[in-house]
Amino acid sequence: MNISKKELSKAQIEFTIEVSPEETKPYLIKAAEIISTEKSIAGFRPGKAPYDVVKKEVGEMTIYQHAADNIIGKTLYEVLEKELPNTDVVGSPQINIEKMAPDNPLVYKAIITLLPEVTLDDYSKIKVAKKDVKIDSKEIETILTNLQNIHAKETVKLGPLEKGDKVNVNFDVFVDGVAIEGGSSKNFPLVIGEGRFIPGFEEQIVGMSQNENKEFELRFPEDYHAKNLAGKLAKFKVEVKETFKRELPELNNDFAKTLGGYQTIEDVRKGIEHNLLHEAEEKENQKQEIEMLDELIKIAKFSELPESMIHAEAHKMIHELEHSIEHQGLKFEDYLKHLKKTEQELEKEILPEAKKRVQTALIARKVADQNKLWATDEEIDKELEEIKKVYGQSPEVADNLSSPGYRRYLATSLTNRKVIEHLKKEIIK
């Protein structure tokens, strides 16, 4: 086997590898055996036809094509073990077969992307302030009001609408005589006084009764989220359909008991405060972690970051977004149309964030190496058992959780968790 090596950049190396006919022979024989197993050849049992018979039946180039992947996979592994020992490689090599013909050497090029090196200065000097979180009593009262509204008793109302009443309305909205996109709805539920529509809309509904129609004009606010409508004068055609009187429960102990697990309204307030505090602390922790990682990126020195790594991360981010959107029952294509962007434009937009994610992953790897924080087999096994208790009921899910790929994912996740905890102890004070 002849090998030539060319450094394309600090991040990529190109190998040109020539495998002699003698070295390819065992792979060709094995490929012919597999072909004769899959293809019926007269006079021979599956897998037992001689090489020359298979060659005559399917053509020798077909045998070479079947053998190529195995030849490249085995020889490239040997080359990397010899030429790049103890070197981490990123992703799959780019392979291009230069020459492949019977009785000739197989020649191919392989472009290898190397894991960038990271130099990390003394990060113990970085300080991120730990902030205490507090809950405003108004937040608690807002949630109590929402609970009241959720449990409101509704009865049909025949008289004029008042503040606090609920109504189902049909409406159409026109600007310059043209119906606006998304400006039409049937039986839209609305509680008068919640302020869900543009200013002035609910005031126009007050006093109307069931089956009554009304037309009026209102101007969209200058800071309206749809820029094409901001500040525009619009005509509204409204028909009141069903109307309801709403009776809110009193905030007393009887109401508290209907919420489950509470005896008094004070218990409810304490429960809400506890949940809000937990949520606020989680947000503050996330904010501190982001600030900490941003500071680490500033002091870290990276060798050349391969574009392939950044683009691969951007693709991963897009797939995560796509999965999240489809999980909500929406279509990713519709999401892109709403943004007025192509997938390529979206990828270009998120490249800076993808680069940060790559840098963060490299820093985490460096810290794990320096402090021996890699997840152990025992830790991975323990985590797997806990996950299986919750999600591993079906054989299909259990098989997925036991796959080598999921185990690698879990190892990375546990290591990153240990790295973050280590860094927080050093940096967040």
Side-chain angles (χ1 to χ4, degrees), residues 316-362:
K316 181 182 175 183
M317 291 169 69
I318 287 175
H319 286 309
E320 288 171 357
L321 176 62
E322 183 176 359
H323 177 75
S324 174
I325 288 168
E326 290 178 350
H327 187 68
Q328 298 173 48
L330 305 173
K331 292 183 178 179
F332 188 58
E333 295 82 1
D334 293 338
Y335 173 78
L336 291 173
K337 286 178 183 176
H338 176 72
L339 292 180
K340 296 181 180 177
K341 287 184 175 68
T342 64
E343 187 169 327
Q344 291 72 29
E345 289 170 334
L346 182 61
E347 180 185 341
K348 185 177 179 181
E349 190 176 277
I350 65 176
L351 280 176
E353 185 60 30
K355 181 179 179 180
K356 280 182 64 175
R357 281 176 53 159
V358 169
Q359 290 172 319
T360 299
L362 292 170

Side-chain angles (χ1 to χ4, degrees), residues 100-242:
M100 185 171 69
D103 301 320
N104 282 276
L106 186 148
V107 182
Y108 67 92
K109 290 183 184 293
I111 297 177
I112 310 299
T113 301
L114 307 179
L115 190 73
E117 294 180 5
V118 183
T119 304
L120 201 57
D121 291 337
D122 183 8
Y123 51 79
S124 64
K125 296 177 182 177
I126 298 174
K127 298 301 175 192
V128 174
K130 188 174 184 179
K131 298 175 183 176
D132 293 328
V133 295
K134 295 180 180 179
I135 302 303
D136 191 325
S137 60
K138 290 180 181 178
E139 296 180 72
I140 299 172
E141 296 308 315
T142 297
I143 292 178
L144 280 172
T145 300
N146 291 338
L147 287 172
Q148 279 182 292
N149 279 292
I150 290 170
H151 292 84
K153 181 181 178 182
E154 297 180 357
T155 54
V156 174
K157 179 174 183 175
L158 300 178
L161 284 166
E162 301 173 287
K163 186 175 180 180
D165 290 343
K166 179 182 174 182
V167 57
N168 292 335
V169 295
N170 297 344
F171 65 84
D172 297 285
V173 187
F174 303 84
V175 172
D176 297 328
V178 180
I180 67 172
E181 184 179 353
S184 180
S185 185
K186 301 292 183 184
N187 289 314
F188 188 87
L190 177 68
V191 175
I192 307 298
E194 286 190 343
R196 293 177 61 190
F197 268 70
I198 68 170
F201 184 90
E202 292 177 9
E203 287 79 356
Q204 291 286 345
I205 302 296
V206 170
M208 294 180 68
S209 298
Q210 197 175 79
N211 299 320
E212 187 177 343
N213 292 275
K214 188 175 183 180
E215 294 184 14
F216 51 87
E217 289 185 339
L218 291 172
R219 191 173 296 277
F220 282 95
E222 294 292 342
D223 59 351
Y224 194 64
H225 63 87
K227 300 303 181 186
N228 61 315
L229 297 176
K232 294 284 184 71
L233 186 66
K235 183 177 182 179
F236 291 78
K237 291 184 178 180
V238 177
E239 179 185 7
V240 169
K241 302 300 288 183
E242 297 174 300

Side-chain angles (χ1 to χ4, degrees), residues 30-39 41 54 58 62-63 66:
K30 184 64 178 177
E33 182 183 322
I34 293 171
I35 291 171
S36 70
T37 301
E38 298 172 346
K39 179 179 173 61
I41 297 178
V54 178
V58 301
T62 299
I63 299 175
H66 273 73

Side-chain angles (χ1 to χ4, degrees), residues 71-88:
I71 295 171
I72 292 169
K74 183 69 166 65
T75 56
L76 182 57
Y77 175 79
E78 292 173 359
V79 169
L80 295 180
E81 284 288 296
K82 178 183 177 182
E83 300 290 332
L84 300 174
N86 304 316
T87 302
D88 292 310

